[in-house]
Amino acid sequence: MERDQITSLLHTRFAKRLRDPFYKAIQEYRLVAPGDRIAVCISGGKDSALLALLLRDYQRYSGIAFDMICLAMDPGYTPQNRRQIEQNMAQLGLPLEVFETNVLRVAGRHAADNPCFLCAKMRRGHLYAQAQRRGCNKIALGHHYDDAIETVLMGLIYGGQVQAMLPRLRSANYDGMELIRPLYHVRERDVAGWVRESGLTFLPCACPAHTRGADTKRAEMKKLIAALAAENPQIEANLLNAVKNVDTRKVLGWRDAAGRHSFLDRLD
C-alpha cells in the first residue's frame, strides 16, 4: 500500500478505532503542550510505528505547535532487522534517527533467564539521554491499553502491589524530561487490524527471551486476560478501573512520598 493510502486509513476505516482514542488520551492526560519537542521511540514493532504516524497526524491537524523526531535505538539488531525498520519508516515518510548500543548482549549476559526488566530499564535510560541531547523534553512510547491492563494484573500476581502503567510520568533521573504514552486508549487488536490493511511487515520482539522461544510473564497475563474476557468482556475495563478508583480507606496499607502507611494508623 502506498504512503498516502496508509495515512488515509487513520481518517477513514480506523478513525474511530485508532485516531479518536489517540486524540482522547492526549487531551485527557494533557500529553502534548505547545512548544514540546517529542522523541517518538521507534522499536521496530507495529505499535511505535503507528504512534509516530498518529503523532504526525496530530501535529498537522490539532492546531498545537510542537516538534517531533523519530528516534530508534539499535540494541544489537541483525543488519536485516535494521534495514526492515529503516524501510518501514521510509515507507511511512517518517525521518528516522538511529543510535547504537549493546543492550541485547548485556541483558542476555547478566539476566539470561529473565532479561525483560533489565533490557527495558537500559533501553529507557539510553532513550532519555539521547532524546535530551537532541533538545527533546518528552519521549513517547508505544504502550497501549492492553499493555496497561496486563501491567495491573502482573503487579497484583507477581509484584504483590497495586500499580498502573501511567500515561504520563516525570523522569526521576533526567531533569525536565517526561515519558508519555499516547496509545493508552488504543486496543492491540485494532493496531493489528491496521497492520493487516497497510501491508507493512514489522519486527517481532528481538529480546533474548523471545528469540529462544521463552514465554514471558506478560505473555502469560495476555493469555489469562483473554480467557477471563471470553467469559466476561467487562473484566478488561475493570482491571484499569481498579487503579483509577483505589479507596485508601479500604486497603491494608499504602505508600507515598511520606513513606509507608497502615490502616491501623487511623485507628490509633
Side-chain angles (χ1 to χ4, degrees), residues 23-77:
Y23 276 47
K24 177 185 176 183
I26 288 180
Q27 293 161 8
E28 181 177 354
Y29 300 118
R30 302 191 297 276
L31 301 182
V32 177
D36 278 346
R37 182 169 170 80
I38 303 170
V40 183
C41 300
I42 304 299
S43 67
K46 62 186 185 302
D47 305 319
S48 60
L50 176 62
L51 168 61
L53 199 60
L54 283 166
L55 194 61
R56 184 179 65 180
D57 182 87
Y58 191 77
Q59 186 183 44
R60 288 176 174 174
Y61 298 107
S62 68
I64 297 176
F66 68 95
D67 293 327
M68 62 172 280
I69 64 171
C70 295
L71 184 63
M73 182 186 74
D74 184 340
Y77 291 135

Side-chain angles (χ1 to χ4, degrees), residues 5-263:
Q5 293 175 304
I6 295 173
T7 302
S8 70
L9 289 173
L10 302 179
H11 295 261
T12 55
R13 190 170 303 177
F14 290 91
K16 291 184 178 180
R17 288 183 283 167
L18 295 178
R19 191 173 186 258
D20 290 355
F22 179 85
Y23 276 47
K24 177 185 176 183
I26 288 180
Q27 293 161 8
E28 181 177 354
Y29 300 118
R30 302 191 297 276
L31 301 182
V32 177
D36 278 346
R37 182 169 170 80
I38 303 170
V40 183
C41 300
I42 304 299
S43 67
K46 62 186 185 302
D47 305 319
S48 60
L50 176 62
L51 168 61
L53 199 60
L54 283 166
L55 194 61
R56 184 179 65 180
D57 182 87
Y58 191 77
Q59 186 183 44
R60 288 176 174 174
Y61 298 107
S62 68
I64 297 176
F66 68 95
D67 293 327
M68 62 172 280
I69 64 171
C70 295
L71 184 63
M73 182 186 74
D74 184 340
Y77 291 135
T78 65
Q80 181 181 0
N81 285 350
R82 171 79 170 258
R83 284 195 300 273
Q84 182 69 63
I85 296 172
E86 292 170 340
Q87 288 170 2
N88 281 346
M89 297 303 286
Q91 185 171 350
L92 294 173
L94 294 164
L96 181 65
E97 300 182 31
V98 183
F99 66 94
E100 297 180 356
T101 70
N102 60 354
V103 165
L104 289 183
R105 180 169 58 82
V106 172
R109 185 173 70 241
H110 292 286
D113 292 334
N114 186 21
C116 299
F117 175 79
L118 177 59
C119 183
K121 184 176 181 180
M122 293 175 66
R123 281 173 179 265
R124 191 167 302 176
H126 282 297
L127 288 166
Y128 269 126
Q130 291 290 332
Q132 194 171 55
R133 289 176 190 172
R134 289 164 169 79
C136 297
N137 65 313
K138 292 177 179 176
I139 64 172
L141 300 186
H143 297 125
H144 46 61
Y145 183 93
D146 297 77
D147 292 319
I149 62 177
E150 289 158 15
T151 296
V152 175
L153 197 55
M154 283 179 67
L156 287 169
I157 294 177
Y158 292 111
Q161 58 186 331
V162 177
Q163 63 176 5
M165 176 183 280
L166 298 177
R168 179 179 173 186
L169 184 67
R170 285 197 180 117
S171 171
N173 301 313
Y174 295 88
D175 289 341
M177 295 292 294
E178 284 190 13
L179 179 157
I180 60 173
R181 296 182 168 104
L183 296 181
Y184 206 76
H185 291 317
V186 172
R187 296 305 306 260
E188 185 175 23
R189 60 176 176 262
D190 295 324
V191 180
W194 170 77
V195 171
R196 287 192 298 271
E197 289 289 329
S198 69
L200 294 168
T201 301
F202 294 99
L203 297 181
C205 178
C207 75
H210 180 91
T211 54
R212 68 168 181 265
D215 198 14
T216 65
K217 298 303 182 192
R218 185 167 292 276
E220 292 176 10
M221 295 301 98
K222 190 181 297 292
K223 292 177 182 177
L224 177 56
I225 292 170
L228 294 171
E231 297 293 329
N232 179 6
Q234 187 60 34
I235 283 174
E236 294 173 319
N238 286 346
L239 283 168
L240 200 56
N241 287 336
V243 289
K244 293 180 181 179
N245 301 307
V246 177
D247 187 344
T248 57
R249 298 170 301 174
K250 297 180 180 179
V251 295
L252 292 172
W254 67 97
R255 65 176 185 266
D256 56 24
R260 292 185 176 273
H261 309 275
S262 167
F263 80 101

